[in-house]
Amino acid sequence: MLMSCLCQPVHAGLEGFIDRDDGHLDVSEWLVDRKGFLAMPIVVTEPAVGYGAGVALMFVRNSMRESAASDKGSGLSVPPDIWVVGAAATENGTRAAFGGGMMSFDEGRWKYRGGIGRADVKLDFYGVGGNLLGGSVNSIGYALDGWVSSQQMLRRIGDSDNWFGLRWNFLDLNSEVDLRNNPDAGLQPGQTTRRTSGLGLTLEHDSRDNIFTPSSGWTAALDATFYDPDWGSDTSFQSYRAHVFAYWPAAKTLVVAGRLDGRKASGRTPFYMLPFIEMRGIPAGRYQDQNAAVAETELRWTLTPRWAAVAFVGGGRIWGSSENFSGSSTVVSKGVGLRYLTARRLGLWTGLDYARGPEDSTVYLQVGNAWR
């Protein structure tokens, strides 16, 4: 009797967070039916800035259930409109505050994605090509302090899974770095510029069965952004990206995923905007040059209806200023992880990844897909 009395308040406190079918912890009902203002924690696990935390206040204009009901008129998938403001800080002194959101209109044929933020980010620069500066392992610490804005509008092509979009990126950042005594850094005049403004085009495809943790389908994009003084940039340069993420259900309990991701910059690109190898186990910005490419694969085994294990391995190269592609070395990272089906009705898995790169190992908190 005493145990029953003690457990009753706990169960009552979790009302709406328990799956009615299997009795396990699940946030589907809360995510699908809720709208209005929601407070969300932020957990930062990026090794380039250290561990950190923050909070975000999210406003959901229409619930996922309401969005799904509106889909029936056009037959197109329409996500809910979401707006968010928040702030976060990390152990190395990095701080950021931001606001933004996404919205759809004309029955899902148009969508907007954008945001603006104020940041003071502290990072390390290892030189163009990721070289060990001056033959040592010492990096150059620097800070970026200022404003960042990204605005994008996309139009669905017919009733297909393809989108065409226009983008405007604007950065007004004071880069506090002294490179005078580091000629091995490989920088040229103009690469420490303050203000960048770029207009871009994008072509996207998305046929994944789930936007959170896909099990089949694929998504891909081609991006080109042109920075020029004619629209407010201090210097002229171009950036390009092409990527594809594919998912294949090899068996009932096994999903095989693959990623190909290539990035390129030309012109007087600021050093903090040079392409870099973006992969679990490697700090952001550790390996930078005019070109970067990554190939990665991930396996997800469903152990029980609620638990899954993942294993991943990938390799990346940078080239351009220091080496050509064939002369560049491949940087390898690999790891394992554990997932819990947090929202069964949405197919959302969350968990932890342990990744080992060339220099160190890192633990990442994952909500949904690890690839962005």
Side-chain angles (χ1 to χ4, degrees):
M1 178 66 70
L2 177 59
M3 181 63 69
S4 175
C5 293
L6 290 175
C7 290
Q8 184 63 33
V10 175
H11 184 271
L14 292 176
E15 184 177 356
F17 294 91
I18 299 296
D19 192 297
R20 298 177 183 179
D21 292 338
D22 61 12
H24 285 80
L25 181 67
D26 190 281
V27 298
S28 294
E29 183 176 342
W30 187 78
L31 290 175
V32 170
D33 296 326
R34 288 292 296 267
K35 61 181 179 179
F37 288 96
L38 306 172
M40 305 287 289
I42 298 172
V43 179
V44 182
T45 58
E46 168 55 52
V49 295
Y51 292 104
V55 65
L57 183 63
M58 181 169 63
F59 175 74
V60 182
R61 189 181 68 83
N62 47 336
S63 69
M64 292 186 182
R65 185 185 300 277
E66 291 173 339
S67 295
S70 68
D71 294 353
K72 298 178 181 179
S74 63
L76 304 175
S77 176
V78 183
D81 295 343
I82 298 175
W83 301 94
V84 62
V85 294
T90 72
E91 59 184 338
N92 81 336
T94 292
R95 297 171 296 172
F98 57 88
M102 63 179 190
M103 64 179 296
S104 303
F105 45 96
D106 191 17
E107 297 183 321
R109 293 181 176 85
W110 291 86
K111 61 183 177 182
Y112 161 81
R113 298 189 300 225
I116 185 171
R118 181 73 166 84
D120 181 6
V121 183
K122 295 176 172 56
L123 296 167
D124 290 317
F125 181 58
Y126 292 85
V128 177
N131 295 322
L132 303 179
L133 301 178
S136 70
V137 297
N138 294 325
S139 60
I140 303 172
Y142 70 94
L144 297 174
D145 183 12
W147 293 91
V148 177
S149 171
S150 179
Q151 313 295 326
Q152 187 177 53
M153 185 71 72
L154 297 106
R155 165 71 180 182
R156 189 189 295 268
I157 301 175
D159 292 334
S160 70
D161 295 320
N162 303 311
W163 298 80
F164 176 77
L166 301 175
R167 178 194 309 107
W168 175 44
N169 293 337
F170 179 80
L171 294 84
D172 189 357
L173 298 170
N174 179 31
S175 56
E176 300 175 3
V177 57
D178 186 359
L179 300 172
R180 290 172 297 180
N181 297 324
N182 293 277
D184 295 326
L187 293 183
Q188 301 175 7
Q191 289 192 276
T192 57
T193 186
R194 176 186 180 98
R195 181 173 296 173
T196 59
S197 178
L199 301 178
L201 306 173
T202 184
L203 181 64
E204 295 185 5
H205 170 88
D206 192 352
S207 58
R208 295 172 296 175
D209 64 332
N210 185 291
I211 64 172
F212 300 108
T213 311
S215 295
S216 65
W218 60 285
T219 181
L222 293 171
D223 300 321
T225 309
F226 305 92
Y227 296 83
D228 195 275
D230 287 344
W231 37 83
S233 185
D234 287 343
T235 185
S236 177
F237 65 99
Q238 304 80 43
S239 67
Y240 309 92
R241 182 188 181 190
H243 73 272
V244 57
F245 308 152
Y247 306 86
W248 176 53
K252 186 177 181 180
T253 59
L254 176 64
V255 175
V256 180
R259 170 195 176 201
L260 293 175
D261 199 334
R263 309 183 192 210
K264 177 181 178 59
S266 59
R268 299 286 187 176
T269 309
F271 74 95
Y272 51 84
M273 295 182 69
L274 286 169
F276 61 88
I277 295 175
E278 183 179 357
M279 197 162 50
R280 283 167 289 186
I282 299 177
R286 174 60 181 87
Y287 299 94
Q288 292 179 273
D289 209 321
Q290 294 176 342
N291 306 278
V294 169
E296 188 176 5
T297 186
E298 179 179 285
L299 305 178
R300 186 173 79 242
W301 291 277
T302 301
L303 307 175
T304 73
R306 284 287 173 176
W307 290 95
V310 300
F312 52 91
V313 61
R317 286 191 180 189
I318 54 170
W319 71 96
S321 298
S322 55
E323 299 280 356
N324 56 29
F325 180 81
S326 60
S328 177
S329 300
T330 299
V331 179
V332 176
S333 177
K334 52 184 177 280
V336 295
L338 189 64
R339 297 289 187 273
Y340 178 77
L341 184 56
T342 311
R344 180 178 58 83
R345 290 162 59 188
L346 300 176
L348 172 63
W349 295 76
T350 61
L352 296 174
D353 285 342
Y354 170 83
R356 178 73 185 182
E359 288 88 19
D360 206 350
S361 59
T362 309
V363 175
Y364 296 85
L365 173 67
Q366 299 292 357
V367 179
N369 184 34
W371 299 335
R372 304 287 186 270

